[in-house]
Amino acid sequence: MTYDPRNHHRHSIRLKEYDYAAPGAYFVTIVTRNRMCLFGNVADGVMWLNVLGRIASAYWAEIPHHFPNVTLDAFVVMPNHIHGIVIVTSPIGVDGVGAQHAAPLHGPQPVPHVNVVPGSLGVIVRSFKSAVTKRIGTLRTIVGTPVWQRNYYEHIIRNERSLNHIREYILNNPLQWEIDWENPLRPASPTTKVLAPWKT
């Protein structure tokens, strides 16, 4: 079966019965609004971050400083999306101390099926997105311009084999950019098939 993120993402809504604050490893993908290439470009299989990409990368790397129950594994900032492995190592206290990058964005931010328990995956991603949006907003001419698509995509990593395949997929993502489903210039019918890392 070939890797089609659009199809995978469509079926990757939060599981209502799953506790996203529970210890575990998660493969997360966060995409920019309208898949705009905001974070730099890929040349010769290497991702070259611009100033916005460096902000996204730095804020991602700082997640454990704001969420003491989280460690990070492999991640990559691509021109219009981020892939990363988030590992929730233990449940966080109900007070949620240290569980914010920045104040939430103004106005309602509905995210279907997101677990809003302090320290949960949904809160971690929402905090990251909010912080990056706020920082980038200080550099863009139109403050408040959306940076991200609503929601995000995740896959629960259930074993070491899957973890290793996903790590490899993330680290090789720049090499696969020409056929990446998020690439707006991707050929309509690429000859090379990229398998979903959780299915190999």
Side-chain angles (χ1 to χ4, degrees):
M1 184 173 183
T2 58
Y3 174 38
D4 182 345
R6 297 175 197 277
N7 186 55
H8 169 71
H9 294 171
R10 190 176 301 117
H11 293 90
S12 187
I13 60 174
R14 313 293 84 78
L15 301 174
K16 291 182 180 180
E17 71 280 7
Y18 191 84
D19 179 5
Y20 284 93
Y26 306 92
F27 175 36
V28 174
T29 299
I30 310 172
V31 183
T32 61
R33 183 70 172 266
N34 299 322
R35 291 181 166 77
M36 290 183 61
C37 293
L38 299 178
F39 299 141
N41 61 78
V42 176
D44 299 322
V46 177
M47 177 62 199
W48 297 92
L49 298 175
N50 59 21
V51 63
L52 303 187
R54 290 192 293 274
I55 289 170
S57 180
Y59 276 52
W60 184 268
E62 285 191 6
I63 286 174
H65 297 292
H66 301 275
F67 294 88
N69 65 324
V70 168
T71 60
L72 300 177
D73 203 290
F75 78 93
V76 64
V77 177
M78 295 295 290
N80 61 5
H81 64 280
I82 293 175
H83 289 307
I85 297 172
V86 176
I87 301 172
V88 178
T89 58
S90 62
I92 197 168
V94 293
D95 58 2
V97 172
Q100 294 244 40
H101 268 84
L105 294 174
H106 296 295
Q109 298 292 318
V111 185
H113 308 297
V114 169
N115 186 328
V116 293
V117 174
S120 67
L121 186 65
V123 170
I124 293 164
V125 173
R126 185 174 60 186
S127 175
F128 164 76
K129 290 170 70 175
S130 175
V132 171
T133 297
K134 184 175 180 180
R135 179 69 183 96
I136 287 177
T138 66
L139 302 177
R140 300 173 84 182
T141 55
I142 304 176
V143 177
T145 301
V147 174
W148 306 106
Q149 281 189 2
R150 289 173 59 183
N151 218 329
Y152 64 96
Y153 312 117
E154 48 66 31
H155 170 76
I156 301 165
I157 303 173
R158 300 188 184 277
N159 55 60
E160 191 76 18
R161 182 170 180 267
S162 177
L163 175 62
N164 288 331
H165 280 300
I166 291 169
R167 282 173 177 154
E168 183 179 359
Y169 173 78
I170 290 172
L171 295 176
N172 288 334
N173 212 226
L175 293 171
Q176 303 285 350
W177 176 239
E178 288 188 5
I179 57 172
D180 194 306
W181 285 92
E182 303 296 352
N183 184 349
L185 302 179
R186 180 185 67 87
S189 300
T191 55
T192 304
K193 304 294 184 181
V194 181
L195 293 177
W198 49 90
K199 293 185 179 295
T200 57

